């Protein structure tokens, strides 16, 4: 997240890959002026005069203050639902209802995904058109009691052989969606009050944790027609920037074999051996096949459930991240070869399926400067002593320095001249279609991470509420400036045009891409007035079923392995 928001490292040289790889080059400031090096973080000074005081901005921030209980209520409801990617039935409905109650028109099923929607408010001429991003999916295994600094899963699934924890908002998407929805509504309220021209579009996005929702919708044209896109994500600092992220491919590998018994395993095509072999082979890629900017990780999703039952199906799911789509594909191709080798060695049959593919993010320097100016104008989050005590207790439980929640706005710095990789986001695909601004607030204390129970604990705590409301104000204030300062929008678009002049975005998803959908409950389809399945989706999907036979072990040996007597 820090890399994406522009944490810079001084004294690093520009690598040849920066100019050799078009996607990396476009994300570099070399794209703005090829004759110069990227800005030296030590010499850069962020402009301070971009955020304008206005009655419209005051109206937007005032709306957030007056409706803080409603915003926090939405935040906490989504936290309590804690629904997985592509099945956020209650969460997406709550988000959409909040917007509909405040004058937004809702269109469900964006990009063919039932829990994705577009909420629209328009005034006057309807121009410019500004987009907001809302997410609401949770993560497996991260259930945690809110406000508790010691690990204590809220949902604990008892199994004496394999206990597990429930889903939890360990990435803070409950706050992400609530703050963005609040900012969209606050902006609409300011537009009504001050008669501002423009359109606000809120994109309710499913399955960000699986990097599916936005990339599918961008390919389908759902985000077309925007002038700017404003985004945020919970973080450990209050910061913005125009750095990049890692492109990523997501592929699920299925190995099909035969039945077997632990007491008589001979003649089994063992799929558990296949996933184990694949995991081992890919580990050997790390030393000589992965650059510092790359990341590779996996989860074994399906295999044996008992030592004496050999599964006929085992599955392992991989992410391959790199600084550009081309580099990420090379890494995933190597992973696929490891899968093929594992299948060959174990005599199993391999099937694999592309689950997601996203670009590296394209930042916008002018947009980040506008956001930073508004963050300074609004001011940092104000944490109570109890909040800081809670943050320090979380840090103590994680073995991190006890500094509490960050209560200052970070300086705005250029991205590090050498890209060393990091996270991925499906916002990246949006950023190649429209100028995009990204921002983070100190929603968790430093030394704790996204995708952890520590973040779940903060996401519905008082400290989390403080930063959620602050994020809503930063987003709304910046958007009001976009509506009232056409010069800045024009500058953002000009920068975007220069960065993308030598590269054309193309979705990493093929035309025959299969949406990884779950069937919605009947009540959800009725409320949202959707039919099932979506257009172009075959339901039920083709089953992955083993039809393998036992391997040939050769002719039977004679008794005692001795030749017969004449």
């Amino acid at each position: 997240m820090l890399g994406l928001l522009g944490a810079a490292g001084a004294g690093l040289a520009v690598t040849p890959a920066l100019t050799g790889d078009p996607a990396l080059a476009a994300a570099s400031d070399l794209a703005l002026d090829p004759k110069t090096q990227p800005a030296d973080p030590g010499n850069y000074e962020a402009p301070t005069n971009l955020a304008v005081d206005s009655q419209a901005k005051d109206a937007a921030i005032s709306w957030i203050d007056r409706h803080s209980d409603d915003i926090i209520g939405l935040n906490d409801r989504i936290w309590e639902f804690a629904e997985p990617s592509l099945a956020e039935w209650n969460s997406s409905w709550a988000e959409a209802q909040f917007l509909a109650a405040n004058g937004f028109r809702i269109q469900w099923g964006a990009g063919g995904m039932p829990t994705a929607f577009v909420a629209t408010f328009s005034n006057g001429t309807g121009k410019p058109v500004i987009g907001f991003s809302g997410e609401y999916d949770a993560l497996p295994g991260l259930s945690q009691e809110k406000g508790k600094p010691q690990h204590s899963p809220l949902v604990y699934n008892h199994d004496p052989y394999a206990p597990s924890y429930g889903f939890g908002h360990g990435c803070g998407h409950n706050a992400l969606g609530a703050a963005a929805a609040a900012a969209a509504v606050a902006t609409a309220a300011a537009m009504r009050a001050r008669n501002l021209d423009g359109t606000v579009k809120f994109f309710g996005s499913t399955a960000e944790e699986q990097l599916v929702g936005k990339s599918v919708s961008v390919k389908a044209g759902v985000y077309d027609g925007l002038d700017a896109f404003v985004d945020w994500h919970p973080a450990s600092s209050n910061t913005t920037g125009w750095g990049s992220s890692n492109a990523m491919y997501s592929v699920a590998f299925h190995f099909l074999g035969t039945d077997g018994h632990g007491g008589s395993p001979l003649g089994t095509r063992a799929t558990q051996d296949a996933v184990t072999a694949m995991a081992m082979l890919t580990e050997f890629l790390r030393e000589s096949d992965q650059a510092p900017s790359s990341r590779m990780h996996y989860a074994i999703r399906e295999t044996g459930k008992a030592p004496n039952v050999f599964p006929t199906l085992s599955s392992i799911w991989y992410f391959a991240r790199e600084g550009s789509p081309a580099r990420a594909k090379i890494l995933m191709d190597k992973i696929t070869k490891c899968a093929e080798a594992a299948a060959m060695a174990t005599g199993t049959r391999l099937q694999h399926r592309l689950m997601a593919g996203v670009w590296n993010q394209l930042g916008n320097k002018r947009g980040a400067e506008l956001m930073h100016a508004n963050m300074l104008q609004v001011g940092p989050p104000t944490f109570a002593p109890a909040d800081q005590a809670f943050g320090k207790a979380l840090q103590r439980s994680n073995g991190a320095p006890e500094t509490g929640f960050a209560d200052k706005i970070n300086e705005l710095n250029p991205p590090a001249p050498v890209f060393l990789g990091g996270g991925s986001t499906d916002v990246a695909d949006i950023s190649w279609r429209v100028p995009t601004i990204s921002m983070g607030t100190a929603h968790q204390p430093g030394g704790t991470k996204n995708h952890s129970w520590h973040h779940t604990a903060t996401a519905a705590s008082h400290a989390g509420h403080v930063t959620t409301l602050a994020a809503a104000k930063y987003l709304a204030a910046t958007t009001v400036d976009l509506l009232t300062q056409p010069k800045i929008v024009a500058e953002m678009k000009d920068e975007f045009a220069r960065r993308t002049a030598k590269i054309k975005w193309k979705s990493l998803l093929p035309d025959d891409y299969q949406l990884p959908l779950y069937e919605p409950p009947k009540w959800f389809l009725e409320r949202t007035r959707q039919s099932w399945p979506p257009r172009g989706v075959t339901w039920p999907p083709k089953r992955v079923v083993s039809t393998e036979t036992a391997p040939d072990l050769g002719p039977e040996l004679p008794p005692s392995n001795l030749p017969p007597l004449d």
Side-chain angles (χ1 to χ4, degrees):
M1 189 65 193
L2 288 176
L4 174 62
L5 296 177
L12 298 173
V14 178
T15 63
L18 196 61
T19 53
D21 189 302
L24 279 175
S28 164
D29 284 353
L30 286 171
L32 303 182
D33 187 354
K35 299 178 182 178
T36 65
Q37 297 290 339
D40 182 348
N43 296 331
Y44 172 78
E45 291 187 10
T48 58
N49 60 346
L50 297 182
V52 174
D53 286 321
S54 67
Q55 292 180 327
K57 190 177 293 185
D58 291 342
I61 292 175
S62 175
W63 190 96
I64 293 168
D65 287 332
R66 294 196 314 273
H67 294 84
S68 60
D69 287 347
D70 297 333
I71 300 164
I72 290 169
L74 177 62
N75 175 91
D76 288 1
R77 280 198 304 280
I78 296 175
W79 185 91
E80 290 166 0
F81 292 138
E83 294 172 305
S85 295
L86 296 161
E88 314 98 331
W89 321 118
N90 294 283
S91 303
S92 61
W93 177 254
E95 195 98 23
Q97 287 299 103
F98 179 87
L99 291 151
N102 287 282
F104 280 70
R105 185 179 73 256
I106 311 297
Q107 181 180 357
W108 283 97
M113 296 166 288
T115 55
F117 67 88
V118 181
T120 305
F121 172 84
S122 190
N123 200 51
T125 65
K127 293 290 185 178
V129 183
I130 311 299
F132 287 92
S133 179
E135 300 163 12
Y136 26 72
D137 53 337
L139 284 160
L142 297 185
S143 178
Q144 169 69 13
E145 293 184 49
K146 62 183 176 183
K148 191 162 187 175
Q150 294 82 33
H151 194 195
S152 180
L154 181 64
V155 177
Y156 180 90
N157 304 310
H158 170 70
D159 183 327
Y161 294 97
S164 62
Y165 314 137
F167 280 79
H169 275 286
C171 203
H173 287 182
N174 61 309
L176 192 160
V185 172
T187 302
M191 293 167 69
R192 290 192 196 96
R194 308 310 306 174
N195 197 28
L196 299 182
D197 291 339
T199 296
V200 173
K201 285 196 169 188
F202 179 96
F203 298 87
S205 179
T206 181
E208 192 283 334
E209 299 295 2
Q210 296 180 4
L211 297 172
V212 169
K214 299 179 193 66
S215 54
V216 170
S217 289
V218 172
K219 180 178 172 63
V222 173
Y223 291 86
D224 290 354
L226 295 176
D227 293 292
F229 189 77
V230 184
D231 181 47
W232 87 287
H233 198 287
S236 57
S237 61
N238 306 297
T239 187
T240 184
W242 63 95
S244 191
S245 62
N246 265 340
M248 198 199 81
Y249 278 95
S250 166
V251 175
F253 297 88
H254 309 299
F255 294 91
L256 300 159
T258 62
D259 300 296
H261 187 288
S264 53
L266 192 63
T268 300
R269 298 184 190 273
T271 64
Q272 183 166 285
D273 289 350
V275 296
T276 303
M278 181 180 179
M280 178 195 69
L281 289 170
T282 56
E283 291 297 334
F284 289 116
L285 296 176
R286 297 192 188 276
E287 182 176 11
S288 58
D289 288 81
Q290 287 192 246
S293 53
S294 73
R295 307 286 189 274
M296 174 189 66
H297 34 132
Y298 56 83
I300 297 175
R301 291 295 302 270
E302 178 65 30
T303 191
K305 298 296 191 294
N308 60 345
V309 178
F310 282 53
T312 58
L313 169 66
S314 291
S315 299
I316 186 168
W317 180 20
Y318 274 79
F319 284 1
R321 308 181 196 252
E322 249 290 10
S324 72
R327 293 172 67 90
K329 184 178 185 305
I330 289 172
L331 179 57
M332 184 53 82
D333 286 346
K334 292 176 180 178
I335 292 170
T336 302
K337 288 186 180 298
C338 291
E340 293 168 350
M344 184 182 300
T346 57
T348 55
R349 177 163 56 95
L350 173 67
Q351 291 186 14
H352 56 90
R353 173 181 174 183
L354 176 68
M355 306 306 295
V358 298
W359 280 58
N360 56 306
Q361 182 146 344
L362 185 66
N364 191 279
K365 179 173 178 283
R366 198 51 160 173
E369 290 171 338
L370 176 66
M371 175 64 79
H372 184 253
N374 274 286
M375 294 175 77
L376 292 174
Q377 185 183 67
V378 172
T382 302
F383 295 102
D387 296 330
Q388 294 294 15
F390 169 57
K392 291 176 182 179
L394 277 171
Q395 290 168 325
R396 186 163 56 251
S397 73
N398 199 42
E402 296 179 28
T403 57
F405 290 91
D407 57 1
K408 294 180 174 59
I409 306 296
N410 281 11
E411 291 184 6
L412 180 62
N413 289 316
V418 174
F419 180 72
L420 295 178
S424 307
T425 172
D426 56 4
V427 174
D429 283 81
I430 300 171
S431 73
W432 288 89
R433 307 298 291 161
V434 59
T436 298
I437 305 172
S438 294
M439 172 274 295
T441 65
H443 199 255
Q444 61 194 37
T448 64
K449 296 184 178 181
N450 281 337
H451 296 200
S452 73
W453 67 261
H454 301 83
H455 202 166
T456 308
T458 69
S461 69
H462 183 267
H465 297 158
V466 168
T467 50
T468 297
L469 295 173
K473 292 178 181 180
Y474 300 151
L475 294 169
T478 300
T479 304
V480 169
D481 276 336
L482 292 173
L483 294 172
T484 57
Q485 297 190 64
K487 180 183 176 183
I488 290 183
V489 176
E491 290 170 343
M492 290 175 61
K493 287 185 171 182
D494 177 69
E495 177 184 336
F496 177 82
R498 284 184 286 155
R499 288 186 183 276
T500 58
K502 296 182 179 180
I503 186 168
K504 183 178 181 180
W505 175 88
K506 182 181 180 182
S507 175
L508 302 188
L509 305 176
D511 291 339
D512 61 352
Y513 173 76
Q514 300 174 52
L515 281 167
L517 297 179
Y518 302 102
E519 185 170 0
K522 183 178 179 181
W523 69 260
F524 182 82
L525 292 172
E526 290 175 348
R527 286 186 188 177
T528 59
R529 299 180 181 179
Q530 297 185 72
S531 59
W532 183 260
R535 182 180 301 175
V537 172
T538 300
W539 198 264
K542 184 179 180 181
R543 298 195 300 170
V544 179
V545 177
S546 171
T547 57
E548 313 313 297
T549 58
D552 183 5
L553 297 177
E556 292 186 6
L557 294 172
S560 302
N561 200 23
L562 295 175
L565 296 174
D566 292 336

